[in-house]
Amino acid sequence: MQLIRMRQAAVLAAILAAGAAWSPRALADEHVTGVITARGADGTLAVQTEDSSMLTVVLNDATKVRRTDGMRQLKVSSASLIPGLRVQLAGEYEGATRFAAQRVSFSRSDLKMALAIKGGVDPTDVRSLDNQRRITANERTIEQQQQTLARQADQIATNREQIRANADKIVATTGALDTRIANLDNYKAVSTVTVYFRNGNASVAKKYKTELQELAARAKDVNGYVIQVQGYASAVGADALNQKLSMQRADNVAGVLTQSGIPPTNMVVPAQMGTSEQVASNKTAKGQAENRRTVVTLLQNKGISER
């Protein structure tokens, strides 16, 4: 009986020795401490160990993730494994730089530290993205402004050409005026009517039509009379528009005089005076209104009036 027991003990010892020799890695339990530096798209972790080497840590469904809080250990999700977190790994090496983790643990204080680091980095990234968006938006705005400036430059060039054309007309009108009246100094003013206009408007108001009709009736009793019409605009807005308005105002007033019985031979060619001879400040609405005018002057030849 004693011999049988000795044989059974020898067989059991041989089986245990064979098992240990057959699976040396199954009992392996390596421990590594380090800091997570990144998470891979495949679920792996990049960990810098305490000796500054880099490990690729492989997690699987069986990997246990624990957070220690004093003496307690809490089961947590692998989502808690964020960059900046100091961890303790238990498992085995699958190569020189690859580690299969069976257990990952970290402390509550280490998690707080990692979250603080993450909180300091992410806002910066967001601000950088916002700044880039602002820069892109500003670039678009600048491009649009440049296009607008280009269009405005073209419009300015067109306006200059129009002003030159108007200047040529003024010169021609002046020549005609010189032909019809050699020198206005030879005439004296008998009566004057000033017609005022609304902003951007050239229509003659009803009350001024009455005044112009009265002037026309008075002129018929003056020997050797001539009526001079000069249109003006306030110095607000584009010069080309003001030139046009002053001409329209002078023409419309001259039209009322013609309809009131003044023959063209007794009227000086209506003059567009633009923004010249401003009589009030354009800094106030009242001053601008005073500058939007047409001045009608009844003149009589001095040679006739002095007889």
Side-chain angles (χ1 to χ4, degrees):
M1 179 64 69
Q2 185 175 3
L3 179 61
I4 292 173
R5 288 178 179 174
M6 291 177 62
R7 286 178 179 175
Q8 289 176 341
V11 170
L12 179 59
I15 292 172
L16 291 175
W22 172 72
S23 182
R25 296 180 66 86
L27 300 177
D29 188 10
E30 300 285 352
H31 291 79
V32 178
T33 300
V35 177
I36 300 174
T37 59
R39 292 192 63 135
D42 56 355
T44 59
L45 304 175
V47 174
Q48 183 174 3
T49 65
E50 291 182 334
D51 62 359
S52 298
S53 62
M54 294 299 300
L55 279 182
T56 299
V57 178
V58 181
L59 307 178
N60 54 50
D61 295 339
T63 302
K64 299 177 181 179
V65 182
R66 298 290 184 268
R67 188 192 79 193
T68 60
D69 188 0
M71 299 298 293
R72 295 185 304 164
Q73 284 197 347
L74 302 176
K75 181 180 179 181
V76 294
S77 168
S78 61
S80 301
L81 303 177
I82 61 176
L85 179 63
R86 186 173 184 273
V87 293
Q88 292 79 42
L89 307 173
E92 60 183 1
Y93 282 92
E94 294 182 339
T97 61
R98 190 174 179 89
F99 188 87
Q102 298 172 1
R103 182 185 180 90
V104 182
S105 60
F106 56 89
S107 68
R108 181 181 180 185
S109 60
D110 286 335
L111 180 59
K112 285 185 177 181
M113 180 65 71
L115 289 173
I117 294 172
K118 184 175 185 297
V121 172
D122 285 353
T124 302
D125 293 340
V126 171
R127 286 194 295 270
S128 298
L129 180 59
D130 289 342
N131 289 336
Q132 185 60 43
R133 288 173 177 167
R134 291 192 192 97
I135 292 172
T136 302
N138 289 339
E139 288 175 347
R140 290 198 197 99
T141 301
I142 292 172
E143 182 179 356
Q144 292 172 354
Q145 289 175 344
Q146 288 175 340
Q147 293 174 354
T148 300
L149 289 173
R151 288 194 296 269
Q152 290 176 346
D154 292 340
Q155 186 61 49
I156 290 172
T158 301
N159 291 343
R160 285 175 177 170
E161 291 299 325
Q162 185 61 47
I163 291 172
R164 291 193 189 97
N166 290 338
D168 292 340
K169 291 180 181 178
I170 292 173
V171 172
T173 301
T174 303
L177 182 62
D178 291 342
T179 300
R180 295 187 58 187
I181 301 179
N183 190 347
L184 285 177
D185 288 341
N186 293 330
Y187 290 78
K188 70 174 184 178
V190 177
S191 181
T192 301
V193 171
T194 301
V195 180
Y196 295 98
F197 299 85
R198 297 191 304 275
N199 187 28
N201 194 283
S203 299
V204 180
K206 184 176 180 180
K207 69 173 184 176
Y208 295 119
K209 288 183 179 180
T210 301
E211 293 183 26
L212 292 171
Q213 291 168 352
E214 292 174 354
L215 178 69
R218 188 162 54 252
K220 296 174 183 177
D221 296 330
V222 177
N223 292 329
Y225 78 88
V226 171
I227 294 181
Q228 178 183 359
V229 180
Q230 295 174 306
Y232 297 87
S234 62
V236 178
D239 289 340
L241 177 60
N242 288 330
Q243 283 291 120
K244 181 179 180 181
L245 280 172
S246 67
M247 188 70 258
Q248 290 175 339
R249 289 166 180 170
D251 287 343
N252 289 346
V253 168
V256 174
L257 292 171
T258 301
Q259 294 167 7
S260 300
I262 301 297
T265 53
N266 288 83
M267 193 182 306
V268 178
V269 176
Q272 55 176 351
M273 305 302 291
T275 57
S276 64
E277 300 180 19
Q278 301 286 282
V279 296
S281 171
N282 287 289
K283 294 182 179 180
T284 64
K286 182 176 181 296
Q288 295 173 17
E290 292 178 11
N291 289 325
R292 298 192 299 267
R293 70 197 192 282
T294 291
V295 179
V296 181
T297 307
L298 174 60
L299 302 169
Q300 184 180 33
N301 189 292
K302 289 180 179 180
I304 296 178
S305 64
E306 291 174 358
R307 289 179 184 175

